[in-house]
Amino acid sequence: MSTLKITKKHHRHLNNPFPSTPTSLPFIQGNLFINSQTLPPNQNSPLGKDFQLLWSTQNGGYLSISHLSHPSKSLWSTIPGQAFISAAMAETEVEESRGSFAIKDRDVHLVCDHQSIENIILINQFGDFQLDYLDLDHHKTNSKFADSPVLIITGHIFSKRTKKWLQSSSIYRSASARYWVLFDQKENNQIGFKVKIGQPKFQLHHHPKASPSTSLGRYRRLRRKLRRHRKWKLGWCWFLTRTKGLSINSSSEEELGESNVVETALEFNRVCLTYASERNERFFGFGEQFSHMDFKGKRVPIFVQEQGIGRGDQPITFAANLVSYRAGGDWSTTYAPSPFYMTSKMRSLYLEGYNYSVFDLTQHDRVQLQIHGNAMQGRILHGNSPLEIIEHFTEAIGRPPELPEWVISGAVVGMQGGTETVRRVWDKLRTYKVPISAFWLQDWVGQRETFIGSQLWWNWEVDVTRYPGWQQLVKDLSKHYIKVMTYCNPCLALMDEKPNKRRNLFEEAKELDILVKDDRGEPYMVPNTAFDVGMLDLTHPLTANWFKQILQEMVDDGVRGWMADFGEGLPVDAVLYSGEDPIAAHNRYPELWAQINREFVEEWKSHCTRKEREDPQEDLVFFMRAGFRDSPKWGMLFWEGDQMVSWQANDGIKSSVVALLSSGLSGYAFNHSDIGGYCTMNLPFIRYCRTEELLLRWMELNAFTIVFRTHEGNKPWCNSQFYSNDKTLSHFARFAKVYKAWKFYRVELVKEAARKGSPICRHLFLHYPNDERVQSLSYEQFLVGSEILVVPVLHKGKKNVKVHFPVGETCSWQHIWTGKTYQKQGCQAWVEAPLGYPAVFVKVGSIVGETFLRNLKNFDIL
């Protein structure tokens, strides 16, 4: 049975502008059956040294896990009398078009929705063969818990319904399979879990009214066919395979007559874990999300891809979908998802591995995790506060290193145009006394015009025609403590038409055989925007060193930072050197891309002279947009990708705040957006160009993020730029100084992020989790650390904002421009916010607030 269908839509130029939501496996619900002969009515089992699992037969039976510090608070529990393990066998269809993907469940062949619990066993030690079977990383856990017992729950999942096996046949089938659920302690605050589903057993029944010879003949032919593919293995669990006091046959088995058990080589490829939730429980996280903060009531897919152009905002989404299949995206599409959440009830869970998964939160009283595969593995987290949960989560997945101080000291000036253009703009910025950290010159490789605008030559070497005297430019800027940053990505374009190339990196990579391949063994030419590219196979052992040499040449010229773009577009039918499943590899690819860049940074630092190592001005940094769960471990800095140059909610200035805060809740401590957005469209029937007002408000917003960086956009001539006129230059200078005024606090927060994983920009929920109004906030306001409250203007033409002063601390907030204080907790107030004076508040009596205000006065801002 073919279980995967891939449909390529790259070259369809007229498409449905309103594509339907991909079909998905419905929410699976079934009953729980208890084996009263082998299970006690109530049982409390230790889970390592810090957790316990409660089993109770009340109301049909349920499980509950709690931390010993709060034994009455359930961190995870099943629903009484309801199955919590289920599985299905379904076909998958993936529609792919230029980095956008739609994953559909098709033709569900089998669902085992009911469950029995037959044994709850505490096992203290394993043999090697047992570990091999369950792929249990028991020996890799924290050594403090290496001797902790593992709790195993076993039983069957099954379907009570019978279905016809063959058309016009008297043979029917029901199915069952063995399952194993394991819990073991990983850290003081984490419980690991694993669900493993065995192969299905079909029970075939022929109706007594049918002709015995006909039924038996059909059955025997079918049994012979299935027997040829039999691969049933139970390993150490052989002694649990006997059914003990519980019938798993069809409820109508007695009426069907003779039945036969058939073992098959078929495997379940959908596993579901269902557990309890509360009606008013809010769900935050899931990586970098752009449209929502709270996902209760939604079905959240976890798959790396292009965020989309518009993502539901109109008319741009209509236009994008019309000309390129699903290019508009929707509320769920994102460059950097993560299978992680925390809730308003201080519950948290994440999945390990890289398979496609869905978090179904559509039911008010339960959650269902659906994963493509026959096993599921993850962790349940304990924490007393949101910040504690983030600390525990990032303790497991990894945290970023401290950023070089130079990149957070002043403006990162993103521009293009060549050497003389850079020098001319630099002169202007000096006139306006703009504090500058770096010039980010993405067109260092040269530029060409395509139908979507100005695009780069994807061949990672300096274009000396566009940037004559490149090394001298770098040196001149360096004398003024200004760094040069560049651009690269893991794709390579054909260079046949580029006249002044020194190297042809595509041909070099092809010769080394380090490009991703198609099913014919040829380099996979991946459609990307206006041209096709080869994509580096990051699983090949030669790729990392080859690409690090390219980075080394760049750094040898004096470059100290770069955008490591893309990483979200690995085709799902690619052939990789590692031989791994490309759908799972797709989610892992951006982590591998970050890892190569990070390894280069660390290796470069280790080979530096002592003088260079001790000079913070020499440290390297890279920033990227694509990511997955463990990306915070490898990535140094993130940016949010390509927002529209608009005021809209799903893909514009508002969405940049949602992405900033949701990613911060998911371990991405350092994130920011392009000042002014990126995606521009200038057509007769649809026009999205960056207005001056939008640019100025975005400057005000990003002056309170980790990096203050501009971008001209994909059509620079259509957009208002920081250098457009005196007003934009003055505003840019003003807010570069505002940004510099809280550098002292930014340095402190960077150290905290590297130590605990705490984000720089924080949803108020992190500090005020019990304030119900705070829980409902989206893009309206945020905290910088804990001491600065920012309420940006995100609506066109608005000159005031509504501020919520949270409940939870006995402190007052001071408006930085007027000095007015707001003392009442939980109150809301309208605050004036004309251009140049965004609504920003500091805590009264805060050392951070007082220092910030003093610095603003020193910069003549106050």
Side-chain angles (χ1 to χ4, degrees):
M1 177 177 66
S2 174
T3 60
L4 177 62
K5 176 184 178 183
I6 298 173
T7 307
K8 300 299 183 71
K9 307 276 189 175
H10 301 303
H11 302 295
R12 287 184 55 172
H13 299 303
L14 190 61
N15 302 279
N16 180 359
F18 301 107
S20 59
T21 302
T23 55
S24 59
L25 197 68
F27 200 104
I28 298 175
Q29 301 184 71
N31 296 323
L32 183 67
F33 296 84
I34 302 169
N35 188 334
S36 57
Q37 297 180 17
T38 59
L39 294 176
N42 293 287
Q43 179 178 332
N44 240 329
S45 302
L47 290 178
K49 302 172 183 176
D50 299 286
F51 295 85
Q52 65 179 5
L53 181 141
L54 168 68
W55 159 252
S56 174
T57 56
Q58 289 184 359
N59 301 317
Y62 69 91
L63 300 165
S64 180
I65 293 175
S66 60
H67 194 270
L68 293 180
S69 63
H70 295 87
S72 61
K73 177 191 171 184
S74 175
L75 298 175
W76 181 90
S77 61
T78 63
I79 301 164
Q82 300 287 297
F84 57 91
I85 303 296
S86 53
M89 195 181 297
E91 298 189 32
T92 305
E93 179 178 4
V94 182
E95 295 178 341
E96 178 180 350
S97 177
R98 301 177 186 274
S100 297
F101 300 84
I103 300 180
K104 303 180 178 182
D105 289 312
R106 305 169 59 245
D107 299 335
V108 179
H109 297 284
L110 175 65
V111 176
C112 284
D113 47 359
H114 300 286
Q115 176 190 358
S116 70
I117 297 180
E118 297 162 21
N119 284 282
I120 299 178
I121 308 167
L122 207 59
I123 296 182
N124 292 304
Q125 293 183 345
F126 288 92
D128 291 337
F129 69 96
Q130 297 155 347
L131 292 171
D132 289 343
Y133 177 69
L134 285 173
D135 190 27
L136 181 66
D137 289 333
H138 188 68
H139 292 309
K140 298 180 183 179
T141 56
N142 190 314
S143 59
K144 291 187 298 183
F145 307 104
D147 296 328
S148 298
V150 174
L151 189 134
I152 303 178
I153 300 170
T154 67
H156 283 86
I157 55 171
F158 57 96
S159 173
K160 292 176 67 176
R161 298 183 296 274
T162 58
K163 299 181 180 180
K164 274 196 175 183
W165 181 265
L166 298 171
Q167 287 286 354
S168 305
S169 169
S170 58
I171 297 179
Y172 291 75
R173 68 173 178 176
S174 59
S176 67
R178 202 73 188 166
Y179 75 83
W180 299 263
V181 181
L182 296 89
F183 294 102
D184 65 332
Q185 182 168 359
K186 301 294 187 182
E187 304 287 347
N188 289 327
N189 42 63
Q190 299 184 26
I191 283 290
F193 68 88
K194 180 160 187 177
V195 179
K196 177 72 175 178
I197 306 293
Q199 289 177 303
K201 286 184 178 181
F202 293 100
Q203 289 188 317
L204 305 180
H205 319 272
H206 58 84
H207 201 281
K209 294 183 180 180
S211 165
S213 60
T214 302
S215 298
L216 190 58
R218 285 173 177 163
Y219 164 68
R220 285 174 174 168
R221 286 193 297 272
L222 179 61
R223 186 172 62 178
R224 284 196 299 270
K225 182 178 179 181
L226 293 173
R227 186 180 292 157
R228 286 196 297 267
H229 302 287
R230 185 182 304 167
K231 295 179 182 178
W232 179 257
K233 294 179 182 178
L234 285 177
W236 64 273
C237 297
W238 66 270
F239 67 96
L240 297 174
T241 59
R242 296 165 297 184
T243 303
K244 301 181 179 73
L246 177 74
S247 172
I248 309 179
N249 295 338
S250 164
S251 58
S252 56
E253 179 182 346
E254 293 179 0
E255 299 176 6
L256 291 173
E258 180 184 354
S259 66
N260 298 271
V261 176
V262 179
E263 299 172 358
T264 79
L266 301 176
E267 287 190 341
F268 288 100
N269 57 7
R270 304 288 189 274
V271 175
C272 301
L273 179 66
T274 307
Y275 49 94
S277 172
E278 297 179 43
R279 181 182 290 273
N280 63 343
E281 190 168 15
R282 297 179 183 270
F283 285 73
F284 305 107
F286 299 109
E288 183 182 67
Q289 297 288 335
F290 293 89
S291 295
H292 302 286
M293 288 300 305
D294 174 20
F295 291 87
K296 183 75 167 184
K298 302 190 180 301
R299 194 174 184 276
V300 188
I302 306 297
F303 197 71
V304 175
Q305 61 177 305
E306 286 275 356
Q307 70 153 12
I309 303 173
R311 306 181 68 259
D313 293 334
Q314 300 299 352
I316 182 60
T317 306
F318 175 97
N321 284 335
L322 185 67
V323 300
S324 183
Y325 189 77
R326 289 189 182 270
D330 59 36
W331 67 265
S332 69
T333 49
T334 172
Y335 304 107
S338 178
F340 160 85
Y341 69 77
M342 71 171 74
T343 81
S344 56
K345 304 297 182 182
M346 296 304 114
R347 299 186 180 106
S348 183
L349 178 149
Y350 71 92
L351 293 178
E352 298 175 302
Y354 296 91
N355 285 357
Y356 174 67
S357 61
V358 175
F359 288 70
D360 194 329
L361 311 175
T362 56
Q363 307 295 310
H364 73 272
D365 65 341
R366 64 194 69 190
V367 175
Q368 187 165 97
L369 309 187
Q370 300 177 353
I371 195 164
H372 283 211
N374 67 351
M376 178 187 295
Q377 188 166 330
R379 297 193 185 186
I380 298 164
L381 304 179
H382 163 68
N384 294 314
S385 69
L387 282 172
E388 208 173 87
I389 289 174
I390 291 175
E391 182 177 357
H392 297 165
F393 175 52
T394 56
E395 181 182 10
I397 66 164
R399 298 170 183 138
E402 292 183 25
L403 289 171
E405 192 170 320
W406 64 260
V407 80
I408 58 171
S409 295
V412 176
V413 181
M415 59 170 297
Q416 304 171 88
T419 303
E420 290 308 312
T421 302
V422 172
R423 290 187 181 276
R424 185 171 61 253
V425 171
W426 182 23
D427 287 341
K428 279 188 179 182
L429 294 174
R430 281 189 284 192
T431 300
Y432 285 83
K433 298 180 180 179
V434 178
I436 304 172
S437 285
F439 274 87
W440 172 54
L441 308 174
Q442 69 165 6
D443 66 336
W444 74 296
V445 292
Q447 204 171 57
R448 53 177 162 172
E449 293 301 317
T450 69
F451 68 86
I452 73 165
S454 301
Q455 292 191 276
L456 309 178
W457 285 106
W458 291 7
N459 190 59
W460 315 123
E461 63 175 10
V462 64
D463 187 314
V464 294
T465 301
R466 191 169 185 84
Y467 280 93
W470 169 255
Q471 292 181 346
Q472 189 60 48
L473 173 65
V474 173
K475 289 178 182 177
D476 290 347
L477 289 167
S478 181
K479 289 176 185 177
H480 292 82
Y481 303 100
I482 298 172
K483 302 302 175 188
V484 170
M485 304 177 74
T486 56
Y487 173 98
C488 65
N489 70 54
C491 302
L492 301 168
L494 298 172
M495 287 292 108
D496 299 343
E497 299 177 7
K498 192 174 192 297
N500 61 337
K501 59 182 178 290
R502 289 180 291 115
R503 296 176 64 182
N504 188 327
L505 297 182
F506 176 88
E507 290 299 328
E508 289 183 28
K510 182 179 178 181
E511 183 70 21
L512 286 170
D513 202 29
I514 59 174
L515 295 173
V516 169
K517 291 185 171 59
D518 60 22
D519 56 5
R520 302 185 307 276
E522 297 295 323
Y524 200 129
M525 298 308 296
V526 182
N528 188 292
T529 60
F531 49 89
D532 295 350
V533 296
M535 200 168 185
L536 290 174
D537 184 346
L538 303 185
T539 72
H540 196 289
L542 298 179
T543 303
N545 285 336
W546 181 79
F547 197 82
K548 289 174 187 176
Q549 290 172 6
I550 294 170
L551 295 176
Q552 183 66 57
E553 292 177 11
M554 186 172 70
V555 170
D556 287 344
D557 279 346
V559 171
R560 289 298 175 262
W562 59 94
M563 174 189 279
D565 200 3
F566 287 93
E568 66 276 354
L570 180 69
V572 294
D573 59 346
V575 178
L576 300 172
Y577 177 88
S578 64
E580 62 192 281
D581 172 20
I583 294 184
H586 174 93
N587 280 339
R588 192 165 76 96
Y589 192 92
E591 292 184 3
L592 295 175
W593 173 226
Q595 184 176 349
I596 287 174
N597 285 270
R598 176 68 179 284
E599 285 176 353
F600 171 75
V601 169
E602 299 302 324
E603 291 165 8
W604 181 85
K605 189 182 299 184
S606 69
H607 292 124
C608 282
T609 64
R610 180 177 178 181
K611 181 179 178 181
E612 288 174 324
R613 280 198 300 270
E614 293 176 353
D615 184 358
Q617 292 295 321
E618 290 300 318
D619 289 342
L620 305 182
V621 69
F622 65 93
F623 61 105
M624 56 193 309
R625 72 180 186 185
F628 199 65
R629 178 196 56 247
D630 295 352
S631 288
K633 174 182 179 179
W634 300 110
M636 297 184 70
L637 172 66
F638 292 86
W639 104 102
E640 298 168 10
D642 302 341
Q643 275 73 57
M644 293 296 300
V645 291
S646 82
W647 299 93
Q648 292 179 292
N650 292 300
D651 191 12
I653 190 170
K654 298 180 184 69
S655 71
S656 74
V657 180
V658 176
L660 184 68
L661 304 182
S662 62
S663 61
L665 284 159
S666 304
Y668 289 74
F670 306 141
N671 203 356
H672 71 293
S673 64
D674 299 327
I675 292 175
Y678 171 83
C679 284
T680 309
M681 189 168 290
N682 189 27
L683 299 172
F685 60 92
I686 184 169
R687 191 170 188 270
Y688 281 80
C689 294
R690 183 195 296 158
T691 65
E692 185 175 274
E693 182 189 2
L694 178 68
L695 175 65
L696 301 185
R697 289 302 194 187
W698 218 312
M699 289 179 185
E700 295 173 4
L701 166 64
N702 278 22
F704 294 94
T705 63
I706 182 65
V707 172
F708 187 66
R709 181 182 57 82
T710 66
H711 200 312
E712 293 180 319
N714 62 310
K715 295 181 184 293
W717 60 90
C718 292
N719 292 328
S720 179
Q721 306 290 355
F722 71 87
Y723 51 75
S724 291
N725 53 50
D726 176 70
K727 184 176 181 180
T728 56
L729 277 164
S730 297
H731 205 79
F732 184 58
R734 176 178 174 83
F735 281 91
K737 292 172 185 175
V738 170
Y739 173 76
K740 191 174 181 65
W742 65 278
K743 176 193 168 181
F744 72 97
Y745 189 38
R746 196 157 52 248
V747 170
E748 179 184 323
L749 293 174
V750 164
K751 293 180 185 298
E752 182 184 352
R755 191 172 68 252
K756 295 184 176 181
S758 307
I760 305 301
C761 298
R762 303 175 184 177
H763 194 282
L764 272 70
F765 171 70
L766 293 185
H767 289 278
Y768 306 96
N770 299 319
D771 186 331
E772 292 187 4
R773 170 62 181 153
V774 159
Q775 293 177 12
S776 67
L777 290 174
S778 179
Y779 52 73
E780 296 86 356
Q781 58 191 74
F782 62 91
L783 291 167
V784 176
S786 60
E787 306 299 295
I788 302 174
L789 176 63
V790 181
V791 190
V793 175
L794 304 175
H795 295 272
K796 181 180 179 180
K798 280 282 189 178
K799 292 183 172 56
N800 60 5
V801 291
K802 190 176 185 180
V803 184
H804 174 73
F805 296 99
V807 176
E809 277 187 357
T810 55
C811 69
S812 302
W813 292 92
Q814 179 183 345
H815 187 229
I816 66 170
W817 308 114
T818 65
K820 182 178 179 179
T821 59
Y822 297 82
Q823 299 178 347
K824 185 178 179 181
Q825 293 188 38
C827 75
Q828 296 182 1
W830 284 96
V831 176
E832 293 300 310
L835 273 170
Y837 299 89
V840 179
F841 306 83
V842 294
K843 286 182 179 178
V844 175
S846 160
I847 295 176
V848 169
E850 291 173 357
T851 308
F852 179 41
L853 293 175
R854 184 168 60 249
N855 289 345
L856 289 174
K857 290 176 182 177
N858 292 338
F859 286 134
D860 294 325
I861 302 299
L862 279 180

